Amino acid sequence: MNTARPAARRLLSSPQTMHAAVMSSFPKLLPTDTPASGGPRVLWRLDHTTRAEIVLHIVSPDRPDLTHLVEQAGWPAAAAADPADPGWQSRPYAPLLDRLSTGAHWAFRLTANPVHHARRKDDEPTKRTAHITPGHQMGWLLKRQETCGFRVLEKPDTKRLLPDGTTHTKQPHHGDRYELTVHNPRPLAFNKHHTTPPQTGRRPPVTLLTVTFDGRLEVTDPQALRRAMTQGIGKAKAYGCGLLTLAPLRSTGAEK
């Protein structure tokens, strides 16, 4: 993403606008073809790889055509000068998914919207609420690791600051026990646009809190992990959350 361009800044400021741009990358996909209606699941994520570089990742059943995004928010002149490089790269996902095997270790990244349902008073209905503290955010992911087909690796005792890897408070922090970090918390607020006839009155903006998890995992159920990688984890998938990606670990002689 060329952050010097106004169109790029507009896309980056609104997950709703970015979602619409991503979904427009599939010529055969209609606006009504949503996962709720049986349409394909398209996942996307923005990675701030450096202070000045932002990369858009997309996982989809079909190959995308990102010409419009390059023209609006990329480097179209550079893409036009090299026909072999249209400004984005597409690769088949199946070879990676097929490599997943029980016991294999991988590095992973996930941007997610960790939430829980809570009520302030006993007579009130539960309300979806964001987890605020890193300890609770890590706990949210750890509760989902089994159903998602992986286990977050634990640090060896020699690398832990505390014997059991947790603090002894009312809000335990799991960060010293697991090969897991949580960073880049981003509170987001944006207006949700509708293609259906607008409702009367002004609707409140959509608010989200997203965080990014980096860590190491062991595959426990390859089929469940493939499902998590193609269907996403957690809520707010349309707004850049839920995409789990893997990378090979650096060889240390002890990794699988």
Side-chain angles (χ1 to χ4, degrees), residues 100-101 103-110 141 145 148-154 179-180 214-221 225 228-229 233 244-247 249 255-256:
L100 300 179
S101 59
H105 291 185
W106 295 83
F108 74 89
R109 172 166 289 181
L110 168 70
L141 179 61
Q145 58 182 342
C148 291
F150 65 86
R151 177 181 68 86
V152 178
L153 296 177
E154 296 190 17
E179 296 278 2
L180 179 64
D214 283 328
R216 298 183 173 195
L217 61 77
E218 177 182 311
V219 181
T220 58
D221 184 339
L225 182 54
M229 293 175 65
I233 300 175
L244 174 73
T245 54
L246 304 181
L249 290 170
E255 303 293 355
K256 299 180 181 179

Side-chain angles (χ1 to χ4, degrees), residues 1 11 14-27 29 41-46 56-60 62-66 68-69 72 237-240:
M1 305 290 293
L11 287 168
S14 171
Q16 174 73 16
T17 304
M18 179 65 80
H19 171 68
V22 169
M23 299 307 291
S24 297
S25 304
F26 305 94
L29 193 63
R41 169 66 69 186
V42 176
L43 302 171
W44 61 273
R45 186 182 75 214
L46 290 169
L56 171 65
H57 298 272
I58 300 174
V59 168
S60 56
D62 301 314
R63 184 185 296 269
D65 182 346
L66 303 175
H68 64 297
L69 275 172
Q72 298 174 35
K237 298 183 183 73
Y239 303 130

